[in-house]
Amino acid sequence: MRDSPFRLRVGTNEDSDPTAVTVSGDGIHGGETGHKCEFIINTCNAGSGVLLVQIDGPSKVTLDAYELEMGYKVRYMALAPGAYFVDIKYAGVHIPCSPFKVVMTGKELGGGGEPDTSLIKIDALAKTSKGTVAQVPVLKGDANKVTVKGGGLNKFFPGRPAVFNIDTALAGENLLFVGILTSKGPCEEVTVRHLGGGRYVVTYRIQERVKGFIFVKYGEANVPGSPFAVSF
């Protein structure tokens, strides 16, 4: 029966979809010994996973790959004529139509006689038609290890800048949030400047004689003492 056997994907993997990977280019069909052959593996919308390209044939081939916006370009050169088989797997699963049969023509330039294997592995990032999808980092900084100091934590003078410092050097990486809420609403002027090494200086200006609170969060948690009561 035409196209038999048919490949079925059983189960799901949230991170990758090998069935979405496609291949194009003359090098996936054939070539000539001693000449660079190439093809493109399109991994758009296939998620992230390990991309494996393995070529088996009459000789070992030179094999390399580099990243494109849509996936990866694979280049190889064979030294002996004959039939080669290109296995392409994504996240451990053959992509559609893999393995591909590639027929090389031309003179034998060496390495013929004993079958040989060449392969490369690539930790492929998730891509879309618009390019690489950034992987969101896992941040585990500890809010309890953040220290906050400075006169601006407790007192301000209306219309004048007030300042305090935040030190996250011992807390690990996380997102820092600073907000100031007064009895008349959010403070309109708050600046957070990174000095390096996990140290920050916060400057704010409250125009009126009001009371308020300074909120400092590291990740989802308040740092020790937050919210801080502040008044004129």
Side-chain angles (χ1 to χ4, degrees):
M1 184 175 180
R2 186 176 181 180
D3 295 329
S4 176
F6 300 96
R7 190 181 306 281
L8 299 177
R9 183 167 181 254
V10 180
T12 59
N13 185 322
E14 294 181 356
D15 296 325
S16 60
D17 180 7
T19 63
V21 179
T22 59
V23 183
S24 61
D26 293 338
I28 201 63
H29 304 293
E32 186 177 350
T33 57
H35 291 77
K36 281 281 187 181
C37 303
E38 58 186 40
F39 55 87
I40 293 173
I41 302 175
N42 188 327
T43 61
C44 286
N45 304 315
S48 60
V50 175
L51 173 63
L52 181 144
V53 180
Q54 178 176 315
I55 301 180
D56 297 284
S59 74
K60 198 172 188 68
V61 303
T62 61
L63 181 62
D64 60 44
Y66 62 90
E67 188 173 8
L68 302 174
E69 185 175 353
M70 68 181 69
Y72 301 86
K73 176 176 281 190
V74 178
R75 301 181 300 182
Y76 68 94
M77 184 173 66
L79 300 178
Y84 291 75
F85 291 90
V86 181
D87 285 4
I88 302 177
K89 293 182 179 181
Y90 202 65
V93 179
H94 279 283
I95 70 168
C97 300
S98 174
F100 300 85
K101 183 179 180 179
V102 177
V103 178
M104 303 300 296
T105 60
K107 297 180 180 180
E108 183 170 325
L109 304 176
E114 291 294 328
D116 214 332
T117 298
S118 304
L119 65 86
I120 54 172
K121 287 184 178 181
I122 301 169
D123 288 324
L125 297 175
K127 293 174 179 287
T128 68
S129 56
K130 296 182 179 180
T132 302
V133 177
Q135 302 295 302
V136 178
V138 177
L139 303 175
K140 298 182 179 180
D142 186 355
N144 290 318
K145 295 181 179 179
V146 176
T147 58
V148 187
K149 298 179 181 179
L153 276 179
N154 308 111
K155 189 175 182 64
F156 69 91
F157 294 94
R160 295 171 58 182
V163 179
F164 62 90
N165 297 285
I166 303 173
D167 191 341
T168 67
L170 301 178
E173 292 187 349
N174 217 324
L175 298 178
L176 177 65
F177 300 91
V178 178
I180 301 176
L181 182 66
T182 73
S183 55
K184 291 195 174 182
C187 178
E188 295 181 358
E189 187 177 333
V190 182
T191 303
V192 181
R193 184 161 60 94
H194 188 212
L195 302 177
R199 295 177 297 112
Y200 300 82
V201 60
V202 180
T203 304
Y204 68 93
R205 191 192 307 265
I206 298 176
Q207 300 292 346
E208 302 179 61
R209 293 174 173 267
V210 292
K211 294 183 178 181
F213 291 94
I214 298 174
F215 295 83
V216 181
K217 285 189 172 185
Y218 204 54
E220 298 294 326
N222 278 299
V223 306
S226 177
F228 303 88
V230 63
S231 62
F232 57 90

